[in-house]
Amino acid sequence: MATECLDKKQTIDLRKKFIGPSCKVFFSHDPLKIVRARGQYMYDENGQQYLDCINNVAHVGHSHPTVVRAGTQQMELLNTNSRFLHDNLVLYAERLQATLPDPLSVCYFVNSGSEANDLALRLAWQYTGHRDVITLNNAYHGHVSSLIDISPYKFHQLSDDEHKQSVHVAPSPDVYRGKFRADHPDPALAYSDEVRDIITRAHKRGGKIAAFIAESLQSCGGQVVPPAGYFQKVAAHVRAAGGVVIADEVQVGFGRVGSHFWGFQLQGEDFVPDIVTMGKPIGNGHPMSCVVTTREVAQAFMAAGMEYFNTFGGNPVSCAIGLAVLDVIQNEDLQGNALRVGAHLSRLLGGLKETHPLVGDVRGPGLFVGVELVRDRVKLTPATAEAQEVIYKLKEQHILLSADGPHRNVLKIKPPMCFSREDAERVVEKIHLVI
Amino acid sequence: MATECLDKKQTIDLRKKFIGPSCKVFFSHDPLKIVRARGQYMYDENGQQYLDCINNVAHVGHSHPTVVRAGTQQMELLNTNSRFLHDNLVLYAERLQATLPDPLSVCYFVNSGSEANDLALRLAWQYTGHRDVITLNNAYHGHVSSLIDISPYKFHQLSDDEHKQSVHVAPSPDVYRGKFRADHPDPALAYSDEVRDIITRAHKRGGKIAAFIAESLQSCGGQVVPPAGYFQKVAAHVRAAGGVVIADEVQVGFGRVGSHFWGFQLQGEDFVPDIVTMGKPIGNGHPMSCVVTTREVAQAFMAAGMEYFNTFGGNPVSCAIGLAVLDVIQNEDLQGNALRVGAHLSRLLGGLKETHPLVGDVRGPGLFVGVELVRDRVKLTPATAEAQEVIYKLKEQHILLSADGPHRNVLKIKPPMCFSREDAERVVEKIHLVI
């Protein structure tokens, strides 16, 4: 197979002609044509190498041979639906469950983080018999219609009358820019009290809480790290109202946070969500994902009498790939690497903060790091244009980074997990140079 | 890779322990463990061969080497998201578009039929500014929550108060068992008038029609073939009300109907939907799918200002596989095979109908055939238990068939497209024997 058939202009022209214009490219002024990738490196049509700091999907490294081999071998044998028994399905479910606290024991395999979060809502609605959902400000949970409804990151772009009455938005527990900051005596309590108050108001209007959903660490929302203890307190309020807690691990799971396999575990062992959703890194790019919940929730979903069938979900190829990804994370100690390299990276970025007033905050565990750029460290004026400029200038230096958050001023660093100390040093050095 | 690691009982036990109990297996009394497959044949853990008459996903044949090779080679090179330019994406979109009438020119790549149908609704809502959806009775359009809402096949299992006021159910245009039958002078007109009346009633209640959605031929709904001209007449009513027409080709597209590449084309060249959704066969089992619409609808969706991003949708591996599937359909003339073998199969099944009073109706084009079993040819009493028995007895004969439709009395034959004349003869012979 040729790595390239068309020249770049032809590719761009055909894309304009045949691909939905709502589908955007990175670096829209001068998009990249990538033809191959390996580990943490991507290569354009001229063979130019780029250091990939944004691809949290190519989790164990682009085109990892162990993953490719697993997928190939299973494709050659069998790829069919889960209405037939297959060992890959059950062995993978068993392996995945072993990474989670015991109560989270029942798996549903689907094809994307969006399918996972939608199913999580269906489970919550069915189990609780309630309808209302509490979500965090700036949250993004996926592109299907039910998830646009609970994604302020998206629905703030809509007119007011398209907001659902059954969706309640709690403040993002952002201790840098949010309502309660690092100088607050107990931001976890203060932010969870906001959720309690939302529940009280919903009850007054006759609403009943089905679920609280949040990413364990907000990603598109600006790489937000909730204060420890926040989810425990929120869970107490939500469960008291008869609702369940959904931890969205689509962007942050699978060892990225370094100290733990799952982001929600950063909050402490006394926090166990009722439903966990997975996605992006789970198949190293292969379209697959998973919802894990408790036996109790799963039984209630079944008791409704409606079969759940997902044509591609849990097929033997997806499960073989999922197993291979878990193998590589373990065999190459990628979680340990995320912890070590992440700590080194954060230290270096901390140094940048001392040198450059533009760097307002450096946060995030492991290889899930945010660098928030501000024009004024007291007013926290978002340095949105500056962030865009940094991104474009880094691209000229052959480093791929993106900016996100409600003000698009947070540099997101979430590279493949094989990212090295040298890669970290190179990125920080280049950021230093361009700012 | 071992084809089997666990004995069948262990597999069943682990499945009970770790997989959502709403996920059902085929032949629940004695499920099959399939470990490999090739062409139209599947093999269990003892090497027993089964003739697969139900897998419309393994469209060009299980584990087709051309498809496996394309997937493997691209996985080795690059698998990343569509925010980078890539030739596979645009070349595939161009190839797919070439199979469709010209106005259908803009593609959105997603991961499943459910994601495709949900996006189709989002496109319709945004383009029309309306909210109401007309769906057919017994329809199934997918498992995400927005699609359960428009799938009577599913939501009839829910309590009344969970039905959406904005969803209207039109009679299925079933000329065998439906409201207007083959003896009606103009069933296409009569069924389309029902849609017209629904629109009138919706308008009286203040509703505004966003879309009419239907499978080009109903599959789960009982292999229903709408009378020619039905969709044209429906489209006229729906468009006059400001709505769009969505053709769901998830189960029936890609040459299965034999005479045409798409099921909706059976209605004649004067019918062009506004949105077409694809799924199951598109990647021969690889999780991928596509929505194609007009430039006008796509522009309106973009004008809303919300980016559409799908992490896995349109990745280079999915597109390489999609291209390979199109190649195989063409190179092996599988559409022609569906036409020829399908006609032979239908002729043979027609013979069964003359011999066995249980066989009430044989219908469907190409390799999309339904055999409706009835206890009484006048009253049309559904032979539900008999259909189940036939399915189980055929399994003993190593033939895989399923029964569906609202009464679960319609044998569905929708095999891989490499199904041969001999396979057809074998199936009909065995059906003859068991009934």
Side-chain angles (χ1 to χ4, degrees), chain B residues 215-388:
Chain B
E215 284 185 279
S216 299
L217 303 102
Q218 272 197 329
S219 182
C220 298
Q223 309 278 109
V224 174
V225 185
Y230 169 70
F231 282 124
Q232 285 87 329
K233 293 181 175 69
V234 167
H237 295 311
V238 170
R239 287 172 181 151
V244 298
V245 174
I246 303 168
D248 177 340
E249 292 272 343
V250 169
Q251 301 225 28
V252 300
F254 290 89
R256 177 163 296 280
V257 300
S259 57
H260 299 81
F261 200 77
W262 300 107
F264 72 80
Q265 293 172 320
L266 290 167
Q267 293 266 311
E269 284 189 12
D270 56 336
F271 172 59
V272 179
D274 303 285
I275 301 172
V276 172
T277 60
M278 305 166 186
K280 300 185 186 290
I282 188 170
N284 214 44
H286 184 82
M288 58 184 285
S289 79
C290 187
V291 181
V292 188
T293 189
T294 62
R295 175 66 49 191
E296 210 181 346
V297 170
Q299 288 292 354
F301 190 58
M302 187 188 66
M306 198 188 287
E307 183 187 338
Y308 181 79
F309 177 63
N310 187 305
T311 300
F312 304 129
N315 70 68
V317 173
S318 295
C319 292
I321 286 175
L323 279 163
V325 168
L326 293 180
D327 283 343
V328 176
I329 293 173
Q330 192 175 335
N331 296 341
E332 300 184 7
D333 187 24
L334 293 180
Q335 185 181 327
N337 189 63
L339 184 66
R340 291 183 298 273
V341 174
H344 187 54
L345 175 66
S346 289
R347 251 192 321 272
L348 296 171
L349 290 168
L352 276 193
K353 188 177 154 186
E354 287 174 20
T355 328
H356 299 280
L358 189 66
V359 178
D361 193 31
V362 174
R363 58 182 178 254
L367 286 172
F368 183 79
V369 179
V371 180
E372 182 151 358
L373 304 186
V374 292
R375 287 180 192 159
D376 182 308
R377 284 195 176 179
V378 177
K379 293 184 193 158
L380 304 187
T381 323
T384 304
E386 292 85 343
Q388 282 307 308

Side-chain angles (χ1 to χ4, degrees), chain A residues 79-93:
Chain A
N79 189 14
T80 192
N81 66 59
S82 63
R83 281 184 170 142
F84 299 102
L85 299 173
H86 198 279
D87 289 347
N88 289 4
L89 176 72
V90 299
L91 292 173
Y92 183 47

Side-chain angles (χ1 to χ4, degrees), chain A residues 3 32-52 62 400, chain B residues 77-78 80 84-86:
Chain A
T3 54
L32 278 175
K33 183 167 183 178
I34 296 294
V35 299
R36 68 187 178 90
R38 198 38 100 103
Q40 63 273 50
Y41 304 107
M42 304 184 95
Y43 300 86
D44 72 11
E45 76 280 16
N46 300 314
Q48 175 62 55
Q49 185 191 76
Y50 289 83
L51 176 62
D52 179 2
H62 288 280
L400 303 180
Chain B
L77 271 180
L78 174 70
T80 193
F84 299 101
L85 299 172
H86 198 278

Side-chain angles (χ1 to χ4, degrees), chain A residues 338-404:
Chain A
L339 184 66
R340 290 183 297 272
V341 174
H344 187 56
L345 175 66
S346 289
R347 253 193 320 272
L348 296 171
L349 289 168
L352 275 193
K353 188 176 155 188
E354 287 173 21
T355 330
H356 298 281
L358 189 66
V359 177
D361 193 31
V362 174
R363 56 181 178 255
L367 286 173
F368 184 80
V369 178
V371 180
E372 181 152 357
L373 304 185
V374 293
R375 288 182 192 158
D376 181 309
R377 285 194 175 180
V378 177
K379 293 183 192 157
L380 305 187
T381 323
T384 305
E386 291 85 343
Q388 281 308 307
E389 213 184 321
V390 168
I391 296 302
Y392 269 88
K393 282 193 174 160
L394 283 171
K395 182 192 162 215
E396 288 169 17
Q397 302 289 321
H398 309 124
I399 288 178
L400 303 180
L401 216 64
S402 69
D404 214 331

Side-chain angles (χ1 to χ4, degrees), chain A residues 191-205:
Chain A
Y191 279 115
S192 65
D193 281 352
E194 295 277 324
V195 174
R196 181 199 59 199
D197 295 348
I198 282 172
I199 295 171
T200 307
R201 286 196 299 273
H203 284 172
K204 278 190 188 147
R205 280 172 26 195

